[in-house]
Amino acid sequence: MNFSEVFKHSNQLCRFSPDGKYLATCVQYRLVVRDVNTLQILHLYTCLDQIQQVEWSSDSLFILCAMFKRGLIQVWSLEQPDWHCKIDEGSAGLVASRWSPDGRHILNTTEFHLRVTVWSLCTKSVSYIKYPKACQQGIDFTKDGRYLALAERRDCKDYISIFVCNDWQLLRHFESETQDLAGIEWSPNGCVLAVWDTCLEYKVLLYSLDGRLLSTFSAYEWSLGVKSVMWSPSSQFLAIGSYDEKVRILNHVTWKKIIEFEHPATINNPKIVVYKEVEKRAVLGNDDLSFHHNLTMGSSLFSTQSKYEVSPAPVQVPVIKPDPERANPKIGIATMAFSSDNRYLATKNDNMPNDLWTCRS
Amino acid sequence: MYSSYTSRATSPSMLYTPPLLHCSQPLSKNSYNILNAFCTEENVVQCISYINQEMSSLGIPIISNGSNGKTDLNLVSVLNTIYELLQLWRKSMRTMEDMENQQLKSNSDLDHLHSSHSKVKEQLELCKRENKALQERDRQLQLKTKSLHNCLKNEKEEVQKLQNIIASRATQYNHDMKRKEREYSKLKERLHQLLMDKKDKKLAIEVLNYVGRSDGKRSVWKTGKTEARNEGEMYKVLLSDYEHRQKDLMVENAELKKVLQQMKKEMVSILSPQKHSTKEKIEDSLEQTVSDCEEDAGEHGRENISLELSCEDAREQLTNSIRQQWRRLKNHMEKLDNQASLVQMGAQNEKDLISRDIHEEEIEKLKLEIQQCKDLITNQQQLWQQQLSCPCDDETGALLRDCYLLEEKERLKEEWRLFDDQRKNFERERRNFTEAAIRLGHERKEFEEDRATWLKHQFLNITPFVDRKKPHTAKSHSALSTGLDLEKQNLHTAPAQQNKVTRHTSLSTPKSSSSSSSLKMPCTADLYRTLCLIPDKSSPSTQPKRSSLQDTNIKLYSSQLSTPKPRLSITSDDSYICSITGDENRL
């Protein structure tokens, strides 16, 4: 791997454009846009305050810079560097900001999650959505950008609203059977919405696009429940990672568990292949044998040599015991990713932070 | 008297018991001494009477004594009594010995019994102690289990309690949360109100200019129509997804059904060939399965039709039949297993049952054979395919096609060559013959002419004008001879004549020479016929033959001299000859 010279940036804000041609970085209150191939600075924009979030629009024509402290959003255009746009939330404050899939609307979440304001760059109009839920993942757009699902909370009950992104009209509004909704996620085909409850209660609900409850899944009760949820790219499988260090996969036909993966600390099964990285600097690789163990030992930016060795069974995976006194313990499956052909699933257990597990269907 | 006798009997014995005891040992006569005296000269009679008494009590005949008190003793009776006494004594000794032995034996038995008794006692003690120990352990273990049970119960109760506590805490927590949330939402409402009322001028968007929509369309107002449209679109999306999924499921279903059908067919086929098995043990069961299979085979037809409809009944039918077949197969396999185990146990006795190993070997061999045959078939198929498919280019194709007949073609060519050679030979011969025939014809004609003249001369010479004709006859003779000579000469100078003749023939038959290859020479039979060398069946008499010959000769000659007339134009030599014969027939 070759490395270029080092560029300064702040707040770890560094984003590639969706079309892959530009790279946006922030230095304090300046936004630098570079060309990806030459790394030449194409544009330089100055914002009014320190930038805290940068986001490209889906068509790579606009960049959004959010300054939460001031409650300001500034939008810059790549085609017309002179064009500018400033959105001021005023006293309402700003907590989060995002583009809509069509790249012409900005959704701002005000402080205390009072409301979500939808600003339109085409019409300068504003829409308000009241009572958004303050949770891990309360807003989700479908992959094709047609619908928006928003979690709401009124009168101590959870609701889900589905909006049509075209004209921001409310399509469906229904109550969710969760105690305290923690997140919602559309399936890639845009027909099923997965809704999961707070970690105090293991509950995953599946709603169809028109608001009907398709199925409920609950593996156990009382222990800490769902930590993360991931759809497979074909919408056939739903992987649920929980605090009990297990991944459960549901199938889309019956919405029942088809398989359960464990992440034990001692790997004895001879069918599991364990790769151990022995030198510095990781080169990520996934093999098609079941489990895969990746250990990084210190890092130096420019050393390139590293290789993987097969460790003989039994293998002890280093485990970090979470603090039982603290909330949100670092245990359980927080990160999952499917391969694009639906054949492989990579998971990471939080109390084995240096290990990547790969399962094959 | 009696008592005195007894006292008397006893007294001397009392007095003389020691000596009597001594006397129990066999004594010789000489050891009789004064000390042992039981009988002295004074008390002989009393002794005798005493002895008699004793003897009688013992059942031994008494010593007969004289009634006069004489001391005369009957020696014989005394000896007898002594003998009897000895016998008695020996008997008693024997019994004593026996009794002593018996006593010894019983003593030893008793000792033995004593010892065993003591051993058994010890063992009993030991067992009792062990028993006690085990009982003690058992008791302790029971106590332990009881305590563990109690612990378990306690733990369970605790768990239950904790769960209840959790549940109650959860409800409490929820309640509290709800309360706080309500408060919070009230605050939010208030804040919201304040914000809205304040009409913050800063709450605005500043845009330099409007940006077009990404899809180029204008935004629409919210109306009922748009709502309906949105709804419609949403349902369309859902429906398309469902349809897609249903298609996938149908495909999968169809495949699974196919697999099931195939499985069923295979199972039936596996179970049915067992009809020909000679093993008696399983025949009965198999008969039943065969009959079942036959029943099932009848259902095939029905099922094939009904499967297409894929209704509930068809599905059930299929699954039920598969289950049935599977059960039968299982039973069959179990029976075979049992049989195999039996065979293994009694392998030597059963001669008609093959051992498992040999059986398996045979199966392996057969499999190998089958594989080889299959390979052979596929190879042949491939070759055949190659054969039938178009060749890469025409030449090779033509070559390939011809290659099979190459040999035969070569042979054919050879034979053609031979044939050609033969034909040429034949032609040559024919030509020779024709020339010869022509010459012969010439000569015959001349000969006939000469004969005719000679006959004329003869006829004329019958008259007295003979002498004048002699030189004619001589002439004619000479003509004849010369004709004959000529013939001979002709025959000898065949090639020269041949040339002339060939020239003539070539003149007369230009067409024939030009197309000699295509023309057929007159066949040998015809030639002979014309030359009268073989009998001609067609002509009735020989007479016209001669004349025909003449005519042919004349005709030939004339034809040779003149240009070929259309009548005699030749397309083939056969027709040439034929036309001639036709003419002479007319003639």
Side-chain angles (χ1 to χ4, degrees), chain B residues 45-96:
Chain B
V45 178
Q46 285 119 355
C47 288
I48 288 170
S49 63
Y50 170 70
I51 283 170
N52 282 339
Q53 272 177 15
E54 290 292 316
M55 292 302 121
S56 63
S57 72
L58 286 171
I60 296 168
I62 53 174
I63 304 167
S64 59
N65 56 338
S67 51
N68 50 4
K70 274 190 187 165
T71 58
D72 290 328
L73 289 168
N74 192 353
L75 188 63
V76 171
S77 62
V78 167
L79 282 174
N80 279 335
T81 41
I82 287 171
Y83 178 70
E84 288 293 322
L85 279 170
L86 273 175
Q87 288 295 95
L88 257 178
W89 179 76
R90 277 202 207 284
K91 208 165 91 171
S92 63
M93 286 307 288
R94 260 203 301 263
T95 52
M96 208 169 77

Side-chain angles (χ1 to χ4, degrees), chain A residues 83-86 88-89 91 102 104 112 121-122 131 146-147 153 169 171-172 189 191 212 252, chain B residues 181 184 188-189 200 202-204 206 208-212 214 226 231 233-235 241-242 245:
Chain A
W83 188 90
H84 65 269
C85 170
K86 187 173 77 157
D88 194 344
E89 287 286 346
S91 328
D102 64 352
R104 296 289 177 274
F112 305 118
L121 292 178
C122 317
Y131 313 114
R146 292 173 86 145
Y147 301 105
R153 188 144 178 119
Q169 289 189 22
L171 185 66
R172 281 280 189 278
N189 65 1
C191 295
R212 290 175 296 125
H252 74 305
Chain B
E181 216 182 307
Y184 178 56
K188 277 212 287 196
E189 281 290 335
D200 208 340
K202 284 202 257 175
L203 183 75
E206 271 175 44
L208 186 63
N209 50 359
Y210 290 109
V211 181
S214 54
T226 55
E231 289 266 319
E233 273 184 31
M234 175 188 81
Y235 281 123
D241 179 58
Y242 279 131
R245 267 202 272 167

Side-chain angles (χ1 to χ4, degrees), chain B residues 499-518:
Chain B
N499 286 336
K500 252 211 307 199
V501 173
T502 48
R503 254 188 287 123
H504 283 309
T505 50
S506 65
L507 272 170
S508 63
T509 63
K511 279 190 188 168
S512 69
S513 66
S514 63
S515 55
S516 58
S517 61
S518 56

